[in-house]
Amino acid sequence: MIILATHNSGKIKEFKRNLIQLNNLNLVDLKTLGITNVADESGFTFEENAKQKLSSYFELLKNKFDFNKNILISEDSGLEVFSLNRQPGVKSARYGGEKLSDRDRNKYLLKKMVKIPLEQRKAQFVCVIAIAGSGIPLKTPKIFRAEVSGIISLEEKGDNGFGYDPIFISSIFQKTNAQLKDEEKDSISHRGLAIKKITPLLEKMLI
Ligand code: IMP
């Protein structure tokens, strides 16, 4: 079994649809397991946070699941806007206040950038995945990173995806991520690319 250590339904959907072709796949997430604990994310980098989440959930779950056999995956991701000194970065999920909805958060960011012209709106999404269990010790997890570059649009567009997707235009498609079909987003997204990188390892681990 693979335990995906997240409650974020946008991420869960993307992991599921990108790993579906794996043989012997049994992917469960924290929601499905009924786990409500939220791990600390106090790191300064996506890598630190991905490792922090991996350790927290490993400790929490190790008495219930045998990690000699089962696999634990954590993921930390976010949006870096270069003209804002790479904010919101590791704080992407909480930018502007814990209680904001995705839409409110997008409005908050657009407002912050209202005076920034298009040519200075460069940004990137980053995704870091950490893997332990089934032969990979928690002390030396496997870490994978992928990025996608683009710009922050002037207004929100599209209803697909989640988070900052309605205001991020990747360099590859001249549309926001939220205007893309699932398979289009997966073909270029930070998470789609990071999942491609972990797939050969998971294939070996699931034999
Ligand atoms: P965390 O990794 O749980 O700390 O949160 C990552 C946050 O970054 C999400 O809550 C979103 O706000 C944002 N984010 C990460 N990946 C994506 C994506 O694919 N589309 C839109 N927003 C994303």
Side-chain angles (χ1 to χ4, degrees):
M1 179 165 75
I2 301 179
I3 300 176
L4 181 61
T6 185
H7 297 99
N8 182 315
S9 44
K11 291 183 183 183
I12 295 167
K13 271 188 209 150
E14 293 190 7
F15 269 91
K16 284 199 170 148
R17 68 180 188 235
N18 281 282
L19 290 175
I20 197 148
Q21 82 287 2
L22 282 182
N23 285 328
N24 306 321
L25 181 71
N26 176 11
L27 183 69
V28 294
D29 56 80
L30 297 178
K31 280 189 180 177
T32 315
L33 292 175
I35 290 158
T36 51
N37 306 51
V38 177
D40 268 356
E41 284 184 51
S42 54
F44 292 101
T45 64
F46 296 105
E47 281 78 3
E48 281 169 10
N49 279 347
K51 284 187 203 165
Q52 220 173 26
K53 289 183 200 176
L54 195 72
S55 316
S56 303
Y57 290 113
F58 193 99
E59 290 305 321
L60 187 76
L61 298 171
K62 69 180 182 195
N63 295 329
K64 266 194 185 166
F65 300 97
D66 177 3
F67 284 121
N68 291 313
K69 290 191 192 128
N70 296 303
I71 302 167
L72 184 66
I73 296 185
S74 70
E75 191 259 31
D76 199 60
S77 50
L79 178 67
E80 296 185 327
V81 180
F82 295 104
S83 57
L84 297 179
N85 253 325
R86 293 186 183 249
Q87 280 184 47
V90 288
K91 300 215 168 76
S92 291
R94 301 170 297 282
Y95 193 55
E98 299 261 355
K99 297 221 168 93
L100 294 191
S101 65
D102 281 354
R103 285 205 73 187
D104 291 342
R105 216 177 296 288
N106 287 334
K107 289 199 176 10
Y108 176 79
L109 181 57
L110 287 182
K111 208 169 164 197
K112 274 218 152 179
M113 296 183 66
V114 76
K115 294 205 174 112
I116 303 180
L118 257 177
E119 63 277 13
Q120 286 168 34
R121 296 172 79 93
K122 288 202 174 64
Q124 67 175 8
F125 268 124
V126 180
C127 173
V128 173
I129 296 177
I131 303 179
S134 190
I136 303 172
L138 178 64
K139 277 191 181 160
T140 51
K142 298 280 181 209
I143 306 290
F144 299 82
R145 180 189 173 98
E147 293 125 18
V148 58
S149 54
I151 59 163
I152 301 302
S153 58
L154 297 170
E155 54 182 3
E156 293 168 85
K157 274 190 186 157
D159 310 306
N160 210 359
F162 68 100
Y164 300 97
D165 279 339
I167 59 166
F168 181 84
I169 302 177
S170 75
S171 314
I172 292 147
F173 293 103
Q174 296 313 311
K175 294 174 186 173
T176 70
N177 271 6
Q179 292 177 298
L180 300 179
K181 296 187 187 113
D182 290 348
E183 59 274 22
E184 287 175 328
K185 182 182 172 191
D186 294 344
S187 72
I188 54 104
S189 82
H190 51 314
R191 190 166 301 99
L193 299 178
I195 295 173
K196 270 206 185 74
K197 290 186 184 178
I198 66 171
T199 301
L201 173 66
L202 293 181
E203 265 167 0
K204 276 193 214 147
M205 293 171 92
L206 289 175
I207 287 173

